[in-house]
């Protein structure tokens, strides 16, 4: 615990949070800026901020560390709790996705995703009024705008969206619906993706099709434009889990064998999101040997 508290002090948790939500809290977000991720996200600085902590956690390679991670957070009643809780989830869920590649992606999906998911479920055991993703905590207690909360809720929900559990996918849909209704009410607009939601939640190839298209473009993107698109992308994860019970694109990164049905699916998606063949072979070799190549040494 002592080594973790030195590696991950409150200031670092807040810095990780600010790396993804850097805008002043009192001003509604410009979603053209939010969309242009590369304009405000410094990957090199994020690596400096996060990698040493992720490396230390990988050396522990134990899910028991969740208790120690949760103990790093301030009390749930505190004003700082939502931001620091989100900083922790961003470290575990988004940090590996932004910083790892090749053979190291095994760490993302086989270890850090599970840590992020366990922290997420621990947060959801809190009384509802203390849960850090609740709108009132952001807009009433911390004076953020509704637009800030929508982005924060995306990242709080991401570990559930990345989960291969059907129950987690159902939960992320319920949380996404809360955001959808809040934005529809605030903007007096209707989410047009409601009209194709049956397709989005039943076609396993919808994610690859829609993700390749990217979010709405232009300088006049509204909160509704961006938020409804993001929620649509979350929806498209659901049919993959319903069809296969897992994400086939992830098989190579975790050393799993791919079924014939999954091979057909991956071909139809253009192998969207799959790892390169060489990295897959190295991971498969490690899995079969019962070992982990240390993070950053692949």
């Amino acid at each position: 615990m002592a080594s973790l508290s030195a590696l991950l002090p409150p200031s670092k948790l807040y810095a990780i949070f600010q790396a993804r939500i850097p805008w002043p809290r009192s001003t509604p977000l410009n979603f053209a800026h939010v969309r242009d991720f590369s304009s405000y996200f410094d990957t090199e600085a994020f690596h400096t901020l996060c990698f040493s902590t992720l490396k230390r956690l990988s050396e522990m390679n134990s899910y028991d560390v969740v208790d120690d991670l949760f103990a790093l957070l301030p009390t749930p009643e505190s004003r700082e709790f939502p931001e620091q809780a989100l900083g922790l989830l961003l470290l575990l869920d988004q940090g590996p996705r932004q910083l790892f590649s090749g053979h190291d992606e095994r760490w993302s999906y086989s270890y850090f995703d599970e840590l992020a998911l366990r922290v997420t479920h621990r947060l959801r055991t809190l009384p509802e009024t203390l849960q850090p993703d609740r709108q009132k905590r952001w807009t009433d207690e911390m004076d953020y705008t509704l637009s800030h909360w929508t982005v924060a809720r995306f990242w709080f929900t991401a570990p559930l969206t990345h989960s291969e559990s059907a129950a987690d996918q159902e939960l992320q849909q319920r949380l996404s619906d809360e955001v959808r209704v809040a934005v529809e009410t605030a903007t007096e607009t209707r989410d047009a993706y409601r009209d194709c939601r049956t397709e989005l939640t039943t076609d396993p190839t919808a994610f690859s099709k829609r993700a390749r298209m990217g979010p709405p473009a232009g300088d006049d993107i509204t909160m509704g434009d961006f938020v409804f698109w993001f929620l649509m992308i979350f929806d498209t994860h659901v049919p993959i889990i319903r069809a296969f019970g897992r994400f086939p694109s992830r098989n190579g990164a975790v050393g799993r064998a791919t079924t014939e049905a999954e091979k057909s699916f991956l071909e139809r998606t253009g192998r969207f999101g799959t790892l390169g063949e060489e990295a897959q072979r190295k991971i498969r070799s490690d899995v079969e040997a019962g070992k982990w190549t240390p993070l950053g040494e692949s």
Side-chain angles (χ1 to χ4, degrees), residues 146 180-191 223-224 228:
L146 174 67
R180 180 178 287 108
V181 170
V183 173
E184 286 179 328
T185 301
T187 61
E188 298 183 338
T189 58
R190 179 178 179 275
D191 179 0
M223 177 167 64
F228 298 149

Side-chain angles (χ1 to χ4, degrees), residues 130-148:
L130 297 180
Q131 291 174 9
D133 65 325
R134 294 295 168 181
Q135 180 184 345
K136 285 187 177 181
R137 297 217 66 178
W138 289 80
T139 58
D140 296 359
E141 295 178 23
M142 298 192 297
D143 301 320
Y144 281 100
T145 71
L146 174 67
S147 56
H148 288 81

